[in-house]
Amino acid sequence: FPWTYTLQTLQARRTNSSTPLGELFDHGFDSLSCVAMCIAMGISLQLGPTAWLFWGCAVANMVFYSSMWRNYVTGVFTVGKMDTNEAEMVMILVHLTSAVCGADVWATVVFGWELKHIVMLFSVGCALGVLGSNISVCLAGGAGRVARAEKMNKSCERRDRQTER
């Protein structure tokens, strides 16, 4: 499901068939699924109601909202080296590992840490890197709505020219 959803969004952008209303629904559902996916990963890792689960969900949501903020400020949605698709792959690997090896595998101690905490440290560390990048771009400023409006006008003009042919 996540890959097809991402492909649908990319296809809408590539064909210039995206609309502001579609973008609103897209980001609205993304914000809801972000919470659900974090909780699902916490369940697979057997985290329970701990600070690990809270901070994992909090940082993931901060990254999501900072990405939307960056999109608003710059007028361009950018994807970094470690972003949505890579996070989804980590979650899929966690779920597959839990399904194949059993949830107890995450209690295995490696270098004095339980494996579930190593996975969470890796995930939160990558997310904090993306968060820092997004915030630094936002604080530097950008064209914002003006750039987005000009881009939308250009895509509409292109579409009009193509339909005239």
Side-chain angles (χ1 to χ4, degrees), residues 11-23:
Q11 178 67 12
R13 289 194 181 114
R14 187 176 334 143
T15 59
N16 290 324
S17 60
S18 60
T19 64
L21 181 61
E23 185 179 9

Side-chain angles (χ1 to χ4, degrees), residues 8 35 41 71 80 93 121 151 153 156:
Q8 166 265 325
V35 174
M41 186 166 163
N71 183 14
L93 288 173
L121 285 172
K151 184 177 178 184
N153 287 338
C156 289

Side-chain angles (χ1 to χ4, degrees), residues 100-136:
V100 171
C101 301
D104 294 336
V105 73
W106 302 113
T108 304
V109 177
V110 179
F111 303 116
W113 288 78
E114 287 186 2
L115 198 53
K116 61 184 170 186
H117 296 141
I118 294 172
V119 170
M120 287 303 294
L121 285 172
F122 171 76
S123 300
V124 170
C126 290
L128 287 173
V130 173
L131 179 64
S133 171
N134 287 342
I135 290 174
S136 67

Side-chain angles (χ1 to χ4, degrees), residues 16-85:
N16 290 324
S17 60
S18 60
T19 64
L21 181 61
E23 185 179 9
L24 175 67
F25 277 108
D26 181 46
H27 296 321
F29 287 118
D30 286 348
S31 67
L32 294 174
S33 68
C34 184
V35 174
M37 289 170 48
C38 289
I39 291 172
M41 186 166 163
I43 291 169
S44 280
L45 290 173
Q46 301 286 303
L47 290 176
T50 62
W52 287 97
L53 180 61
F54 171 78
W55 286 111
C57 288
V59 170
N61 283 292
M62 284 185 238
V63 168
F64 174 78
Y65 288 111
S66 71
S67 296
M68 297 305 105
W69 181 25
R70 180 179 181 155
N71 183 14
Y72 178 78
V73 168
T74 63
V76 178
F77 186 77
T78 56
V79 178
K81 292 178 181 171
M82 178 65 180
D83 219 305
T84 308
N85 292 333

